[in-house]
Amino acid sequence: MIWVLLILVAVLVVVATAAVVTGRFTPDPMADPVTSAPHHGLPAGTVRAVDVDDVTFDTALRGYRMDQVDDVIDRLQQRIAELESEGRDPLRP
C-alpha cells in the first residue's frame, strides 16, 4: 500500500515539474486583462466635476483595471494641482 502512495507522489512531482518547465503553471496564472466595454476615462482638456461622474472602468479578477484607475487618478491629481496653484479651493466649484 505504501508503494502505491509513493508512486502517486512521484507521478505528481513529475507532472508538476513538467507543467512549470513548459509554462503551463506560473506563479501568477492571472490572464492578461481584456476589455469588455469601452473605457470611459476623463476627457482630454479641462476636467469638470460632471466628467468624474461619467468615468467607468472594466472589472478584472481582482477588482478594477489598475491602468485605467491610475490614469484617472493621475489626471485628477494634475487638475487639483492646477486649481491649487491658481489659489482656488479645489473642493469648491
Side-chain angles (χ1 to χ4, degrees):
M1 182 66 175
I2 191 80
W3 291 105
V4 173
L5 181 61
L6 290 176
I7 291 172
L8 182 61
V9 170
V11 168
L12 288 174
V13 168
V14 169
V15 169
T17 303
V20 169
V21 169
T22 60
R24 300 240 184 235
F25 178 74
T26 60
D28 188 12
M30 192 166 155
D32 291 333
V34 295
T35 300
S36 60
H39 170 55
H40 297 286
L42 295 173
T46 304
V47 177
R48 298 173 305 158
V50 69
D51 296 331
V52 178
D53 291 335
D54 297 331
V55 173
T56 60
F57 301 105
D58 285 337
T59 56
L61 181 64
R62 297 180 185 162
Y64 292 103
R65 293 261 316 264
M66 285 181 19
D67 58 334
Q68 294 175 352
V69 175
D70 289 344
D71 180 52
V72 169
I73 296 295
D74 290 343
R75 297 277 314 280
L76 289 172
Q77 182 183 20
Q78 290 173 356
R79 182 64 179 141
I80 290 171
E82 289 173 7
L83 292 173
E84 289 174 344
S85 69
E86 294 172 2
R88 295 175 51 193
D89 185 355
L91 298 178
R92 298 194 185 214

